[in-house]
Amino acid sequence: MSGSLPTVVIGGGLLGAATLYELASRGEPALLLEAKEALATETSFANGGMLTPSMSDPWNSPGVGRHLMASLVDPTAAMKLRLHALPDLLGWGLRFLRHSSPARHAAATEASFRLALDSTQRTRQLIRSQGLRCDASFGGTLKLFARPRDLHGPKGIAQRLAALGLRFSVLSAAQAVEREPALAAASSRVAAALHFPDDVAADACALTRELARLARANGAQVRTSVAAQRIVVWQGEVTGVETEGAWIAARRVVVAGGCGSRALLRPLGLRLAVRPAKGYSLTFDVGHLSSLTPLPSLPVIDDAMHAAVTPLGRRLRAVGTAEFAGDDLSLDARRLDNLFALLQRLYPEIASRVDRSSGTPWAGLRPMSADGLPFVGPAGPKGLWLNTGHGHLGLTLAMGSAALLVDQMLDQPPAVSPEPFRATR
């Protein structure tokens, strides 16, 4: 052990649970605080369910500014900007656009991929070795394109990342259906596809809770319904966390609270360049259909919609879109209708057999950094650490980010360079 005081992790989503697990597995005293009654009830609850090194490119790709402006008058835009969110986005948005230059976007994509590949390998190994119950599957992902020319950009990114270890293959429509027979009825709408065999599917909520279970078995503590109100600093060093009516002494504090991290850090003079990007999902139980029609075996991504349908055990989850709407978690029926329309296009037989009203709708706020990379490392006063800002890659990067963070804490050589993810960049 490295001292009697624990490292306090703030945030009971996937990043917090992964951090807790990593600390506990190395013999570090650790305590997780979660404001809600259970872990993974917010952004980690019903997200896309995919670990995708193949999708390491940040969303601020070159030309993103034009798409965002156009989205103001297009209710169906895959990436939607809401007018009421503009004031809070101005400074962040300028940085977001500045990092959309080809050179900066390419550098961020490569850095993100290195961490994503390491993280996915760790997650796959842990799920298999520990028998984690999180509806995991290991057949990769399939990205579909309606026109041959639409394949050009994503294929170019994949070719660049192949030099760093990305495996992929280009498939015809017939080959895509051979890989995923449930797509047979939609084959006329597919011109080409990319298959990424090393991508993984898993339920982020279940994985979060499994990681917390393993961490507890290694001596860590988890306290739910406890909200961190203030990080206490004395003479330039973190000494603990203040909650309602209590003070918890800490050796270190890790802020892994997603979009809520901003409010905790602001009193310390840290302005975190993270803003919420709302994503939607619609989940159906389809287990009863297995004897009537082929069910999908791997996630299928519609590149044009930035949306996907992911099989998770008995369930099918349609997920996607990015909406810059501030902290608004209300459900826009049109966005959910778009997801059901995707299910109808890809799997018409399944869509015709499910009751639309039986789908469970959900929205969560992805913590999106201005440059598309997470903040993983020390920040501000001594003893303060960040693990947040993972955007659409939270599930993909969680285990790798936790390892990278704890390697830095314990002065151990990391598997991935921490430089691109510096919390003070």
Side-chain angles (χ1 to χ4, degrees):
M1 295 289 188
S2 56
S4 57
L5 290 180
T7 296
V8 174
V9 180
I10 300 173
L14 182 54
L15 271 299
T19 303
L20 187 77
Y21 166 79
E22 192 68 30
L23 286 162
S25 68
R26 303 198 201 187
E28 290 288 312
L31 164 65
L32 184 145
L33 303 179
E34 166 55 41
K36 302 293 184 181
E37 294 181 358
L39 302 184
T41 60
E42 297 184 276
T43 305
S44 299
F45 182 70
N47 65 18
M50 294 179 289
L51 292 92
T52 51
S54 64
M55 297 171 64
S56 294
D57 46 312
W59 282 353
N60 55 338
S61 56
V64 69
R66 295 193 304 274
H67 295 300
L68 285 173
M69 290 301 102
S71 78
L72 288 169
V73 293
D74 181 2
T76 65
M79 187 179 292
K80 174 70 176 171
L81 177 61
R82 299 287 184 185
L83 274 173
H84 71 264
L86 279 174
D88 187 50
L89 288 174
L90 286 178
W92 177 92
L94 291 175
R95 293 180 64 180
F96 184 77
L97 294 177
R98 186 166 69 249
H99 285 283
S100 71
S101 71
R104 290 184 176 185
H105 186 262
T109 298
E110 291 184 10
S112 179
F113 175 77
R114 288 187 174 93
L115 182 57
L117 188 63
D118 173 74
S119 185
T120 301
Q121 290 169 345
R122 291 175 186 273
T123 310
R124 183 188 296 109
Q125 180 180 3
L126 186 65
I127 290 172
R128 284 175 163 160
S129 66
Q130 298 294 322
L132 302 187
R133 301 177 64 181
C134 56
D135 286 327
S137 58
F138 304 98
T141 62
L142 199 60
K143 183 176 285 191
L144 305 183
F145 304 90
R147 301 173 299 182
R149 68 186 185 190
D150 296 336
L151 174 67
H152 178 72
K155 181 182 175 183
I157 293 172
Q159 287 172 329
R160 291 198 302 273
L161 294 179
L164 302 178
L166 177 68
R167 295 196 302 150
F168 75 98
S169 56
V170 181
L171 307 181
S172 66
Q175 289 170 325
V177 172
E178 184 179 358
R179 184 64 193 82
E180 178 49 89
L183 285 170
S187 60
S188 62
R189 301 186 182 96
V190 180
L194 292 173
H195 179 232
F196 301 98
D198 296 324
D199 288 353
V200 174
D203 183 329
C205 177
L207 180 59
T208 299
R209 295 172 184 179
E210 286 282 79
L211 289 172
R213 177 181 63 80
L214 293 181
R216 286 192 187 100
N218 283 327
Q221 299 179 60
V222 175
R223 298 184 192 173
T224 56
S225 301
V226 177
Q229 296 182 333
R230 185 170 71 95
I231 298 169
V232 181
V233 177
W234 175 254
Q235 295 183 345
E237 185 170 354
V238 167
T239 59
V241 175
E242 188 178 285
T243 67
E244 186 175 356
W247 180 76
I248 300 169
R251 184 177 184 213
R252 313 178 191 90
V253 171
V254 179
V255 178
C259 294
S261 302
R262 294 170 61 200
L264 269 175
L265 296 172
R266 194 174 297 120
L268 303 179
L270 297 175
R271 298 289 187 265
L272 194 63
V274 166
R275 294 297 184 273
K278 181 161 64 171
Y280 290 79
S281 72
L282 191 59
T283 304
F284 294 91
D285 188 328
V286 296
H288 62 290
L289 301 178
S290 59
S291 62
L292 304 174
T293 185
L295 296 181
S297 62
L298 75 166
V300 171
I301 300 155
D302 183 307
D303 190 67
M305 278 189 66
H306 295 286
V309 177
T310 304
L312 295 168
R314 290 177 51 91
R315 298 164 296 156
L316 265 188
R317 177 171 295 161
V319 60
T321 75
E323 187 174 318
F324 292 99
D327 293 322
D328 177 17
L329 274 170
S330 63
L331 295 169
D332 185 328
R334 291 170 297 184
R335 312 296 274 183
L336 294 168
D337 288 343
N338 285 347
L339 294 180
F340 189 69
L342 174 63
L343 183 66
Q344 290 175 312
R345 283 202 306 278
L346 294 180
Y347 305 115
E349 281 291 319
I350 295 172
S352 69
R353 295 175 186 274
V354 299
D355 180 355
R356 166 70 173 81
S357 65
S358 70
T360 303
W362 173 85
L365 302 178
R366 309 177 186 95
M368 185 71 64
S369 69
D371 62 1
L373 296 174
F375 298 95
V376 183
K382 183 180 178 182
L384 179 65
W385 299 78
L386 305 187
N387 196 4
T388 189
H390 293 72
H392 69 293
L393 292 173
L395 176 54
T396 303
L397 299 178
M399 295 305 301
S401 294
L404 179 62
L405 186 79
V406 178
D407 283 339
Q408 293 177 79
M409 282 181 183
L410 305 182
D411 292 322
Q412 296 177 356
V416 176
S417 170
E419 184 62 23
F421 314 104
R422 284 187 301 108
T424 54
R425 66 184 187 273

